[in-house]
Amino acid sequence: AVPSVPRPSSLSPGSSASDEASLVEKHRIAVQSSWKLVEDGLGTDGTALFYDRLFESYPDVKSMFESSLGGDFDVNEQAEKLFHTVGMAVDYLSDVQSIVPMLEDLGRKHAVAWNVKREQYDAVGECLIWTLKTSLQRQDAWNSDVADAWVWAYQMIAKVMSDAGEKKAATTATMGRKVSFSEMKQVESESGAGGEDDKNQKANEETQAPAAAAGPLTPSIRSLIRAGITHRDDIKLRPQSVALLVVDVQKELSTIEPDSPHMDYAMEAFPRMISNAARLVRKMRSNRAKLVRRMAGETTTTTMATGSECVFTYCEALTDDSRDVSLDYKLSGLLLAKLPCPSRPAQFVLGVEPVRGMDVCLPKTSCSVFQSTNIDYVLKNLGVEQIVVCGQPIDQSVESAVRDAADRGYLVTVAVDACAAQSKADHERGMAGMRGFSRHLSTDEVISELTLES
């Protein structure tokens, strides 16, 4: 089950559920409003201040970073990563359960890569609160309510990450430990297994391991299709086989000319696209976490969970002068001829941002992601058979991706209210152009089909 939100420590033992909900909401508002001041006032300088304090107070933590990253250790880079992670967690406080899977994943990675333990989370918390206090006191914005709120928020983050990390460390230790003969006999006695039957069971598990990645005895979707009989609307989304493809939802492209005659459409369509794309991302990450937990509970296999992947593609050149972008882009005006690049990376829209190391990120230099990236290779490696597409422009990059995906054998669903264009006519033209290649559903309908029990 998904971990619950820690009960605020300032509540009295006899407080009601409504009292708790009210205080949680108060904490959320205090954290989000104060973080905005930190962002505006200090930016990543604030997290650099945090690392200075952490390494001064806990030198062993710095040694841990340096031993793990070697010559690649860069405190400014680490500060930027922390700034992004805290900002993301703060944004998701309005929907805490959606960020739990991301925090669990980070906790597992910290446990494996750096052997981070619970006491080190305590050290980080102490220095983070000190940094926030130092920063916010300069703006007369630090008080007991803000302090209580940040303690509550960090306790939540630390508990989820450390619990997941400890579980991962315990699993890893068990898998790598030699088991004594007496322990083996005890397990056989308790389970009633052993002898030739046990050997046969093990052999069967080993030969069936690749299939376990898609779920026990789960047939491929393609194997269920009968040519000329099955209709694309007959095939519902399967969390174990699907990926969400987010196309070009980036700040550089989420614009419209101020004198455009389509401003009314844009003012409605762009916020709707961003809101619904964010809902789809949260749903996928939540499902992904459930699939990972299920697979972690399968002690008979070492295969990885598949399905419910988030794939972000966005316009970004490989060179700073954009000389590698497609000829079409070079002929399509300055916006596309001079794309974001390594020195000016793409800027993502708040709420629809990839989590590096967890989501798949594919910068592209052409209209279709299938033409200028290795997405087909990646999706096949991930075991993906179905793709849910959202983003913009629906009549260009989205439509190109949908058509190319369908031609490559993927079953495509378009979340039409999680897409946008430059005008209503463009939007309708894009939908018409994809109709023969995909299913068209609302975000609510997609989420309904993706419902996955914990």
Side-chain angles (χ1 to χ4, degrees), residues 5-12 15-31 144-146 148-150 152-153:
V5 179
R7 179 181 172 87
S9 57
S10 54
L11 281 173
S12 61
S15 298
S16 65
S18 61
D19 291 335
E20 180 174 347
S22 176
L23 187 53
V24 166
E25 178 65 9
K26 180 181 177 182
H27 283 345
R28 181 191 68 79
I29 293 171
V31 168
S144 59
D145 288 341
V146 173
D148 289 344
W150 273 103
W152 164 78

Side-chain angles (χ1 to χ4, degrees), residues 197-216:
D197 289 341
D198 190 48
K199 292 180 182 178
N200 292 337
Q201 180 184 359
K202 182 177 180 181
N204 288 335
E205 290 168 353
E206 289 175 348
T207 57
Q208 294 176 5

